[in-house]
Amino acid sequence: MTAAQRFAEFASSLNQATLAPEVVHHAKRAIVDWYAALLPGAIESPPTLLEQALAEDLDRGDARLALGRAATVRTAALINGTAAHTVEVDDIYREAIYHPGAPTIAATLALAQARRATGLQMIRAVVAGYEVSTRIGAALGRAHYRYWHNTGTVGTFGAASAAATLLGLDAERHAHALCTGATFAAGLQQAFRMDSMSKPLHAGHAAEAGVLAALAAERGVTGSLDVLDGDAGMGRAMGDAPDWNLATATLGQDFHITRMTFKNHACCGHTFAPIDGALELQARMGLRWQELDAIEVATYGPALAVAGNFTPRTAAEARFSIPFVVATALIHGSVRLSAFTPERLVDPEIRALMARIRLTVDPALDAGFPGQRAARLRFSTLDGRQAEYLQPTRKGDPEQPLTDEELSAKFMELAVPVVGDGRARSLLDGLWALDTRAHLLDL
């Protein structure tokens, strides 16, 4: 069997399997977190611009956008997938360097609404998408992340497998959905090395492409079954000789969805260990930011490649700027959506503190990437004090997870400004009880 066939055999079996309560609960956590990212993103661009561009596919169809507008399935997947990745608060599977929720859950919800699926059917599909795609992402590894944006590439498999599971495809057709999806996979790192709206579009495109691949497979469209592990397949073209046997070895035994990272800051995940470390060292030293003379941040190489920008001009660039978010955290105590207002972007105090920051790659921390996301902080004060702190992980990582209560608080913080307190609380209650719901159109 090819790698794609092994993935498909597992995913298609989930429609008959009994999921452990722990797996169901973690799937609901992922869906709660996805909605927390979806709602604030839905009222920003590019999702609002996509609604204008794709107007002919809206106000009809059986799926829904974030705020309830009718849409065709593929358009709902595209716009909702984009929205869930727009304000950079969506989940992470660390080892795959990948945000699975944005494309996977967008694809699942669109089809679940159109096909009148139950909440439990949606959960099974989400689990399938997460388990298949996170393993493909981890197999492609750091070599893939050098040029490719994993949420755009690997996300296509999450969406395709989730959609195929929801459609009830057998293993053969599920494999063809994955293999057709592989040829749609796209998303370049360079797209977000400067100000651009392309990054969230990668997630939306992955969601739509996965839905299309599954719908096509349902009707008999076939793909090349060795597209992952063939001589000219994805593994060779976009990775570094991945071990597909290792990637599929623990399917059905070890559920990756139980080890997700849920964001505690509204910015790029590569900035989190520096933020957490800076806040911890500030607290330990008991100092005000005005007392700082120099701040050294040492971390892993890809963090600086992606988020080493010292001159961010826009909110999109600032979310990918370790100097900006560390300075913001030290001055304001947190990095929430309010950190990226036009006023904050030109705040002279933030800019002055950014100038005192130095970024370096720590070889030991670099060697631990992607399985560990750490940063070493060193502060020097104007009166000559010095202190150092190693932040070994990030708040929200599996080793330091957000509790259900913290996840609910994150949801309310992000949802209430968009839909109001009553609607937000009703939606949150419905999501925590998703496995008991008979229909999804009111989500």
PDB file of all heavy atoms in Angstrom, residues 366-399:
ATOM      1  N   ASP A 366      17.981  26.036  18.355  1.00  0.00           N
ATOM      2  CA  ASP A 366      17.707  25.771  16.942  1.00  0.00           C
ATOM      3  C   ASP A 366      17.649  24.267  16.675  1.00  0.00           C
ATOM      4  O   ASP A 366      16.816  23.796  15.896  1.00  0.00           O
ATOM      5  CB  ASP A 366      18.777  26.427  16.068  1.00  0.00           C
ATOM      6  CG  ASP A 366      18.453  26.343  14.599  1.00  0.00           C
ATOM      7  OD1 ASP A 366      17.439  26.918  14.175  1.00  0.00           O
ATOM      8  OD2 ASP A 366      19.218  25.675  13.865  1.00  0.00           O
ATOM      9  N   ALA A 367      18.524  23.527  17.349  1.00  0.00           N
ATOM     10  CA  ALA A 367      18.537  22.076  17.155  1.00  0.00           C
ATOM     11  C   ALA A 367      17.259  21.424  17.672  1.00  0.00           C
ATOM     12  O   ALA A 367      16.874  20.349  17.203  1.00  0.00           O
ATOM     13  CB  ALA A 367      19.752  21.471  17.859  1.00  0.00           C
ATOM     14  N   GLY A 368      16.588  22.064  18.625  1.00  0.00           N
ATOM     15  CA  GLY A 368      15.357  21.511  19.168  1.00  0.00           C
ATOM     16  C   GLY A 368      14.122  21.762  18.343  1.00  0.00           C
ATOM     17  O   GLY A 368      13.077  21.156  18.569  1.00  0.00           O
ATOM     18  N   PHE A 369      14.200  22.663  17.358  1.00  0.00           N
ATOM     19  CA  PHE A 369      13.062  22.998  16.508  1.00  0.00           C
ATOM     20  C   PHE A 369      12.820  21.879  15.505  1.00  0.00           C
ATOM     21  O   PHE A 369      13.776  21.325  14.964  1.00  0.00           O
ATOM     22  CB  PHE A 369      13.363  24.318  15.762  1.00  0.00           C
ATOM     23  CG  PHE A 369      12.288  24.751  14.813  1.00  0.00           C
ATOM     24  CD1 PHE A 369      11.181  25.435  15.257  1.00  0.00           C
ATOM     25  CD2 PHE A 369      12.379  24.456  13.460  1.00  0.00           C
ATOM     26  CE1 PHE A 369      10.184  25.834  14.378  1.00  0.00           C
ATOM     27  CE2 PHE A 369      11.395  24.842  12.571  1.00  0.00           C
ATOM     28  CZ  PHE A 369      10.302  25.546  13.042  1.00  0.00           C
ATOM     29  N   PRO A 370      11.570  21.480  15.179  1.00  0.00           N
ATOM     30  CA  PRO A 370      10.311  22.101  15.577  1.00  0.00           C
ATOM     31  C   PRO A 370       9.666  21.528  16.832  1.00  0.00           C
ATOM     32  O   PRO A 370       8.655  22.041  17.295  1.00  0.00           O
ATOM     33  CB  PRO A 370       9.421  21.835  14.373  1.00  0.00           C
ATOM     34  CG  PRO A 370       9.880  20.511  13.878  1.00  0.00           C
ATOM     35  CD  PRO A 370      11.374  20.498  14.091  1.00  0.00           C
ATOM     36  N   GLY A 371      10.255  20.465  17.414  1.00  0.00           N
ATOM     37  CA  GLY A 371       9.612  19.829  18.540  1.00  0.00           C
ATOM     38  C   GLY A 371       9.585  20.665  19.804  1.00  0.00           C
ATOM     39  O   GLY A 371       8.731  20.456  20.666  1.00  0.00           O
ATOM     40  N   GLN A 372      10.531  21.610  19.908  1.00  0.00           N
ATOM     41  CA  GLN A 372      10.546  22.525  21.045  1.00  0.00           C
ATOM     42  C   GLN A 372      10.641  23.943  20.512  1.00  0.00           C
ATOM     43  O   GLN A 372      11.415  24.222  19.586  1.00  0.00           O
ATOM     44  CB  GLN A 372      11.744  22.246  21.960  1.00  0.00           C
ATOM     45  CG  GLN A 372      11.786  23.148  23.194  1.00  0.00           C
ATOM     46  CD  GLN A 372      13.021  22.925  24.045  1.00  0.00           C
ATOM     47  OE1 GLN A 372      14.058  22.503  23.546  1.00  0.00           O
ATOM     48  NE2 GLN A 372      12.919  23.222  25.334  1.00  0.00           N
ATOM     49  N   ARG A 373       9.863  24.866  21.101  1.00  0.00           N
ATOM     50  CA  ARG A 373       9.894  26.276  20.722  1.00  0.00           C
ATOM     51  C   ARG A 373      10.327  27.073  21.952  1.00  0.00           C
ATOM     52  O   ARG A 373       9.514  27.377  22.817  1.00  0.00           O
ATOM     53  CB  ARG A 373       8.522  26.731  20.231  1.00  0.00           C
ATOM     54  CG  ARG A 373       7.901  25.851  19.150  1.00  0.00           C
ATOM     55  CD  ARG A 373       8.675  25.868  17.849  1.00  0.00           C
ATOM     56  NE  ARG A 373       8.056  24.988  16.868  1.00  0.00           N
ATOM     57  CZ  ARG A 373       7.100  25.372  16.018  1.00  0.00           C
ATOM     58  NH1 ARG A 373       6.654  26.624  16.056  1.00  0.00           N
ATOM     59  NH2 ARG A 373       6.588  24.524  15.151  1.00  0.00           N
ATOM     60  N   ALA A 374      11.625  27.364  22.052  1.00  0.00           N
ATOM     61  CA  ALA A 374      12.173  27.989  23.245  1.00  0.00           C
ATOM     62  C   ALA A 374      12.874  29.288  22.889  1.00  0.00           C
ATOM     63  O   ALA A 374      13.198  29.561  21.727  1.00  0.00           O
ATOM     64  CB  ALA A 374      13.161  27.034  23.928  1.00  0.00           C
ATOM     65  N   ALA A 375      13.135  30.097  23.913  1.00  0.00           N
ATOM     66  CA  ALA A 375      13.882  31.348  23.741  1.00  0.00           C
ATOM     67  C   ALA A 375      14.642  31.647  25.025  1.00  0.00           C
ATOM     68  O   ALA A 375      14.188  31.322  26.127  1.00  0.00           O
ATOM     69  CB  ALA A 375      12.943  32.509  23.404  1.00  0.00           C
ATOM     70  N   ARG A 376      15.811  32.261  24.864  1.00  0.00           N
ATOM     71  CA  ARG A 376      16.619  32.674  25.995  1.00  0.00           C
ATOM     72  C   ARG A 376      16.651  34.206  26.013  1.00  0.00           C
ATOM     73  O   ARG A 376      17.016  34.840  25.019  1.00  0.00           O
ATOM     74  CB  ARG A 376      18.031  32.113  25.882  1.00  0.00           C
ATOM     75  CG  ARG A 376      18.876  32.273  27.149  1.00  0.00           C
ATOM     76  CD  ARG A 376      20.283  31.704  26.931  1.00  0.00           C
ATOM     77  NE  ARG A 376      20.244  30.322  26.499  1.00  0.00           N
ATOM     78  CZ  ARG A 376      20.110  29.277  27.308  1.00  0.00           C
ATOM     79  NH1 ARG A 376      19.952  29.483  28.605  1.00  0.00           N
ATOM     80  NH2 ARG A 376      20.095  28.045  26.832  1.00  0.00           N
ATOM     81  N   LEU A 377      16.241  34.781  27.125  1.00  0.00           N
ATOM     82  CA  LEU A 377      16.186  36.238  27.275  1.00  0.00           C
ATOM     83  C   LEU A 377      17.270  36.715  28.227  1.00  0.00           C
ATOM     84  O   LEU A 377      17.510  36.099  29.269  1.00  0.00           O
ATOM     85  CB  LEU A 377      14.826  36.671  27.827  1.00  0.00           C
ATOM     86  CG  LEU A 377      13.614  36.763  26.894  1.00  0.00           C
ATOM     87  CD1 LEU A 377      13.789  37.895  25.889  1.00  0.00           C
ATOM     88  CD2 LEU A 377      13.301  35.449  26.214  1.00  0.00           C
ATOM     89  N   ARG A 378      17.926  37.821  27.874  1.00  0.00           N
ATOM     90  CA  ARG A 378      18.879  38.470  28.771  1.00  0.00           C
ATOM     91  C   ARG A 378      18.558  39.956  28.829  1.00  0.00           C
ATOM     92  O   ARG A 378      18.453  40.618  27.784  1.00  0.00           O
ATOM     93  CB  ARG A 378      20.316  38.272  28.295  1.00  0.00           C
ATOM     94  CG  ARG A 378      21.356  38.974  29.206  1.00  0.00           C
ATOM     95  CD  ARG A 378      22.751  38.905  28.615  1.00  0.00           C
ATOM     96  NE  ARG A 378      23.269  37.552  28.666  1.00  0.00           N
ATOM     97  CZ  ARG A 378      23.911  37.019  29.704  1.00  0.00           C
ATOM     98  NH1 ARG A 378      24.099  37.759  30.806  1.00  0.00           N
ATOM     99  NH2 ARG A 378      24.356  35.791  29.668  1.00  0.00           N
ATOM    100  N   PHE A 379      18.372  40.473  30.040  1.00  0.00           N
ATOM    101  CA  PHE A 379      18.093  41.894  30.251  1.00  0.00           C
ATOM    102  C   PHE A 379      19.294  42.570  30.896  1.00  0.00           C
ATOM    103  O   PHE A 379      19.909  42.018  31.818  1.00  0.00           O
ATOM    104  CB  PHE A 379      16.890  42.094  31.186  1.00  0.00           C
ATOM    105  CG  PHE A 379      15.548  41.790  30.585  1.00  0.00           C
ATOM    106  CD1 PHE A 379      14.401  41.878  31.375  1.00  0.00           C
ATOM    107  CD2 PHE A 379      15.393  41.406  29.257  1.00  0.00           C
ATOM    108  CE1 PHE A 379      13.149  41.602  30.862  1.00  0.00           C
ATOM    109  CE2 PHE A 379      14.140  41.132  28.726  1.00  0.00           C
ATOM    110  CZ  PHE A 379      13.018  41.225  29.537  1.00  0.00           C
ATOM    111  N   SER A 380      19.604  43.765  30.434  1.00  0.00           N
ATOM    112  CA  SER A 380      20.570  44.646  31.079  1.00  0.00           C
ATOM    113  C   SER A 380      19.854  45.948  31.385  1.00  0.00           C
ATOM    114  O   SER A 380      19.171  46.510  30.514  1.00  0.00           O
ATOM    115  CB  SER A 380      21.773  44.914  30.175  1.00  0.00           C
ATOM    116  OG  SER A 380      22.431  43.711  29.826  1.00  0.00           O
ATOM    117  N   THR A 381      19.999  46.442  32.624  1.00  0.00           N
ATOM    118  CA  THR A 381      19.306  47.657  33.019  1.00  0.00           C
ATOM    119  C   THR A 381      20.241  48.858  33.013  1.00  0.00           C
ATOM    120  O   THR A 381      21.468  48.726  32.992  1.00  0.00           O
ATOM    121  CB  THR A 381      18.703  47.501  34.425  1.00  0.00           C
ATOM    122  OG1 THR A 381      19.765  47.358  35.373  1.00  0.00           O
ATOM    123  CG2 THR A 381      17.782  46.291  34.499  1.00  0.00           C
ATOM    124  N   LEU A 382      19.643  50.022  33.043  1.00  0.00           N
ATOM    125  CA  LEU A 382      20.426  51.260  33.019  1.00  0.00           C
ATOM    126  C   LEU A 382      21.301  51.402  34.254  1.00  0.00           C
ATOM    127  O   LEU A 382      22.347  52.074  34.213  1.00  0.00           O
ATOM    128  CB  LEU A 382      19.477  52.457  32.904  1.00  0.00           C
ATOM    129  CG  LEU A 382      18.723  52.567  31.568  1.00  0.00           C
ATOM    130  CD1 LEU A 382      17.623  53.605  31.664  1.00  0.00           C
ATOM    131  CD2 LEU A 382      19.690  52.895  30.434  1.00  0.00           C
ATOM    132  N   ASP A 383      20.920  50.763  35.371  1.00  0.00           N
ATOM    133  CA  ASP A 383      21.739  50.864  36.579  1.00  0.00           C
ATOM    134  C   ASP A 383      22.702  49.695  36.745  1.00  0.00           C
ATOM    135  O   ASP A 383      23.261  49.480  37.821  1.00  0.00           O
ATOM    136  CB  ASP A 383      20.846  51.004  37.819  1.00  0.00           C
ATOM    137  CG  ASP A 383      19.942  49.795  38.035  1.00  0.00           C
ATOM    138  OD1 ASP A 383      20.050  48.812  37.271  1.00  0.00           O
ATOM    139  OD2 ASP A 383      19.105  49.831  38.957  1.00  0.00           O
ATOM    140  N   GLY A 384      22.878  48.902  35.656  1.00  0.00           N
ATOM    141  CA  GLY A 384      23.931  47.893  35.660  1.00  0.00           C
ATOM    142  C   GLY A 384      23.511  46.488  36.033  1.00  0.00           C
ATOM    143  O   GLY A 384      24.348  45.570  36.037  1.00  0.00           O
ATOM    144  N   ARG A 385      22.263  46.242  36.340  1.00  0.00           N
ATOM    145  CA  ARG A 385      21.826  44.882  36.652  1.00  0.00           C
ATOM    146  C   ARG A 385      21.702  44.050  35.374  1.00  0.00           C
ATOM    147  O   ARG A 385      21.399  44.574  34.309  1.00  0.00           O
ATOM    148  CB  ARG A 385      20.473  44.904  37.369  1.00  0.00           C
ATOM    149  CG  ARG A 385      20.507  45.427  38.800  1.00  0.00           C
ATOM    150  CD  ARG A 385      19.101  45.460  39.381  1.00  0.00           C
ATOM    151  NE  ARG A 385      18.272  46.478  38.740  1.00  0.00           N
ATOM    152  CZ  ARG A 385      16.952  46.451  38.709  1.00  0.00           C
ATOM    153  NH1 ARG A 385      16.287  45.417  39.220  1.00  0.00           N
ATOM    154  NH2 ARG A 385      16.276  47.437  38.141  1.00  0.00           N
ATOM    155  N   GLN A 386      21.917  42.736  35.528  1.00  0.00           N
ATOM    156  CA  GLN A 386      21.760  41.800  34.418  1.00  0.00           C
ATOM    157  C   GLN A 386      21.072  40.535  34.919  1.00  0.00           C
ATOM    158  O   GLN A 386      21.281  40.122  36.064  1.00  0.00           O
ATOM    159  CB  GLN A 386      23.104  41.436  33.786  1.00  0.00           C
ATOM    160  CG  GLN A 386      23.745  42.543  32.971  1.00  0.00           C
ATOM    161  CD  GLN A 386      24.900  42.035  32.148  1.00  0.00           C
ATOM    162  OE1 GLN A 386      25.441  40.959  32.405  1.00  0.00           O
ATOM    163  NE2 GLN A 386      25.280  42.796  31.136  1.00  0.00           N
ATOM    164  N   ALA A 387      20.260  39.943  34.065  1.00  0.00           N
ATOM    165  CA  ALA A 387      19.622  38.664  34.406  1.00  0.00           C
ATOM    166  C   ALA A 387      19.268  37.941  33.114  1.00  0.00           C
ATOM    167  O   ALA A 387      19.085  38.569  32.056  1.00  0.00           O
ATOM    168  CB  ALA A 387      18.374  38.877  35.250  1.00  0.00           C
ATOM    169  N   GLU A 388      19.199  36.612  33.226  1.00  0.00           N
ATOM    170  CA  GLU A 388      18.919  35.770  32.065  1.00  0.00           C
ATOM    171  C   GLU A 388      17.844  34.765  32.431  1.00  0.00           C
ATOM    172  O   GLU A 388      17.731  34.327  33.576  1.00  0.00           O
ATOM    173  CB  GLU A 388      20.196  35.057  31.625  1.00  0.00           C
ATOM    174  CG  GLU A 388      20.050  34.198  30.378  1.00  0.00           C
ATOM    175  CD  GLU A 388      21.374  33.584  29.954  1.00  0.00           C
ATOM    176  OE1 GLU A 388      22.294  34.340  29.556  1.00  0.00           O
ATOM    177  OE2 GLU A 388      21.478  32.349  30.040  1.00  0.00           O
ATOM    178  N   TYR A 389      17.028  34.388  31.443  1.00  0.00           N
ATOM    179  CA  TYR A 389      15.969  33.407  31.683  1.00  0.00           C
ATOM    180  C   TYR A 389      15.749  32.582  30.415  1.00  0.00           C
ATOM    181  O   TYR A 389      15.673  33.135  29.310  1.00  0.00           O
ATOM    182  CB  TYR A 389      14.665  34.107  32.088  1.00  0.00           C
ATOM    183  CG  TYR A 389      13.503  33.158  32.242  1.00  0.00           C
ATOM    184  CD1 TYR A 389      13.436  32.269  33.308  1.00  0.00           C
ATOM    185  CD2 TYR A 389      12.466  33.135  31.296  1.00  0.00           C
ATOM    186  CE1 TYR A 389      12.382  31.383  33.450  1.00  0.00           C
ATOM    187  CE2 TYR A 389      11.408  32.257  31.431  1.00  0.00           C
ATOM    188  CZ  TYR A 389      11.366  31.389  32.508  1.00  0.00           C
ATOM    189  OH  TYR A 389      10.317  30.501  32.631  1.00  0.00           O
ATOM    190  N   LEU A 390      15.647  31.275  30.585  1.00  0.00           N
ATOM    191  CA  LEU A 390      15.304  30.381  29.480  1.00  0.00           C
ATOM    192  C   LEU A 390      13.822  30.066  29.539  1.00  0.00           C
ATOM    193  O   LEU A 390      13.333  29.517  30.537  1.00  0.00           O
ATOM    194  CB  LEU A 390      16.106  29.085  29.556  1.00  0.00           C
ATOM    195  CG  LEU A 390      15.688  28.003  28.537  1.00  0.00           C
ATOM    196  CD1 LEU A 390      15.975  28.457  27.114  1.00  0.00           C
ATOM    197  CD2 LEU A 390      16.383  26.675  28.845  1.00  0.00           C
ATOM    198  N   GLN A 391      13.105  30.437  28.480  1.00  0.00           N
ATOM    199  CA  GLN A 391      11.692  30.076  28.337  1.00  0.00           C
ATOM    200  C   GLN A 391      11.653  28.773  27.540  1.00  0.00           C
ATOM    201  O   GLN A 391      11.867  28.772  26.325  1.00  0.00           O
ATOM    202  CB  GLN A 391      10.928  31.176  27.609  1.00  0.00           C
ATOM    203  CG  GLN A 391       9.461  30.868  27.373  1.00  0.00           C
ATOM    204  CD  GLN A 391       8.658  30.853  28.664  1.00  0.00           C
ATOM    205  OE1 GLN A 391       8.926  31.618  29.573  1.00  0.00           O
ATOM    206  NE2 GLN A 391       7.668  29.977  28.738  1.00  0.00           N
ATOM    207  N   PRO A 392      11.392  27.625  28.193  1.00  0.00           N
ATOM    208  CA  PRO A 392      11.559  26.339  27.514  1.00  0.00           C
ATOM    209  C   PRO A 392      10.438  25.974  26.571  1.00  0.00           C
ATOM    210  O   PRO A 392      10.591  25.098  25.719  1.00  0.00           O
ATOM    211  CB  PRO A 392      11.638  25.346  28.675  1.00  0.00           C
ATOM    212  CG  PRO A 392      10.821  25.987  29.756  1.00  0.00           C
ATOM    213  CD  PRO A 392      11.040  27.468  29.607  1.00  0.00           C
ATOM    214  N   THR A 393       9.280  26.605  26.710  1.00  0.00           N
ATOM    215  CA  THR A 393       8.121  26.291  25.884  1.00  0.00           C
ATOM    216  C   THR A 393       7.247  27.533  25.799  1.00  0.00           C
ATOM    217  O   THR A 393       7.685  28.623  26.163  1.00  0.00           O
ATOM    218  CB  THR A 393       7.354  25.085  26.472  1.00  0.00           C
ATOM    219  OG1 THR A 393       6.331  24.691  25.572  1.00  0.00           O
ATOM    220  CG2 THR A 393       6.775  25.416  27.834  1.00  0.00           C
ATOM    221  N   ARG A 394       6.033  27.375  25.313  1.00  0.00           N
ATOM    222  CA  ARG A 394       5.126  28.510  25.181  1.00  0.00           C
ATOM    223  C   ARG A 394       3.856  28.224  25.962  1.00  0.00           C
ATOM    224  O   ARG A 394       3.373  27.094  25.975  1.00  0.00           O
ATOM    225  CB  ARG A 394       4.752  28.729  23.703  1.00  0.00           C
ATOM    226  CG  ARG A 394       5.912  28.911  22.769  1.00  0.00           C
ATOM    227  CD  ARG A 394       5.476  28.892  21.315  1.00  0.00           C
ATOM    228  NE  ARG A 394       4.964  27.593  20.889  1.00  0.00           N
ATOM    229  CZ  ARG A 394       4.662  27.274  19.636  1.00  0.00           C
ATOM    230  NH1 ARG A 394       4.822  28.173  18.673  1.00  0.00           N
ATOM    231  NH2 ARG A 394       4.192  26.076  19.325  1.00  0.00           N
ATOM    232  N   LYS A 395       3.322  29.242  26.611  1.00  0.00           N
ATOM    233  CA  LYS A 395       2.002  29.092  27.207  1.00  0.00           C
ATOM    234  C   LYS A 395       1.028  28.727  26.089  1.00  0.00           C
ATOM    235  O   LYS A 395       0.937  29.419  25.075  1.00  0.00           O
ATOM    236  CB  LYS A 395       1.575  30.410  27.877  1.00  0.00           C
ATOM    237  CG  LYS A 395       0.135  30.432  28.354  1.00  0.00           C
ATOM    238  CD  LYS A 395      -0.122  29.508  29.522  1.00  0.00           C
ATOM    239  CE  LYS A 395      -1.533  29.703  30.069  1.00  0.00           C
ATOM    240  NZ  LYS A 395      -1.868  28.737  31.134  1.00  0.00           N
ATOM    241  N   GLY A 396       0.315  27.622  26.257  1.00  0.00           N
ATOM    242  CA  GLY A 396      -0.567  27.111  25.218  1.00  0.00           C
ATOM    243  C   GLY A 396      -0.061  25.844  24.569  1.00  0.00           C
ATOM    244  O   GLY A 396      -0.828  25.120  23.934  1.00  0.00           O
ATOM    245  N   ASP A 397       1.265  25.558  24.707  1.00  0.00           N
ATOM    246  CA  ASP A 397       1.815  24.303  24.210  1.00  0.00           C
ATOM    247  C   ASP A 397       1.312  23.142  25.068  1.00  0.00           C
ATOM    248  O   ASP A 397       0.824  23.350  26.191  1.00  0.00           O
ATOM    249  CB  ASP A 397       3.346  24.346  24.255  1.00  0.00           C
ATOM    250  CG  ASP A 397       3.965  24.947  22.998  1.00  0.00           C
ATOM    251  OD1 ASP A 397       3.284  24.991  21.961  1.00  0.00           O
ATOM    252  OD2 ASP A 397       5.137  25.369  23.061  1.00  0.00           O
ATOM    253  N   PRO A 398       1.452  21.890  24.582  1.00  0.00           N
ATOM    254  CA  PRO A 398       0.967  20.749  25.363  1.00  0.00           C
ATOM    255  C   PRO A 398       1.562  20.659  26.769  1.00  0.00           C
ATOM    256  O   PRO A 398       0.900  20.172  27.689  1.00  0.00           O
ATOM    257  CB  PRO A 398       1.382  19.543  24.509  1.00  0.00           C
ATOM    258  CG  PRO A 398       1.431  20.071  23.117  1.00  0.00           C
ATOM    259  CD  PRO A 398       1.916  21.485  23.237  1.00  0.00           C
ATOM    260  N   GLU A 399       2.801  21.133  26.937  1.00  0.00           N
ATOM    261  CA  GLU A 399       3.420  21.090  28.257  1.00  0.00           C
ATOM    262  C   GLU A 399       2.869  22.156  29.205  1.00  0.00           C
ATOM    263  O   GLU A 399       3.026  22.055  30.417  1.00  0.00           O
ATOM    264  CB  GLU A 399       4.940  21.267  28.136  1.00  0.00           C
ATOM    265  CG  GLU A 399       5.644  20.192  27.346  1.00  0.00           C
ATOM    266  CD  GLU A 399       5.571  20.403  25.840  1.00  0.00           C
ATOM    267  OE1 GLU A 399       5.023  21.447  25.396  1.00  0.00           O
ATOM    268  OE2 GLU A 399       6.059  19.532  25.096  1.00  0.00           O
TER     269      GLU A 399
END
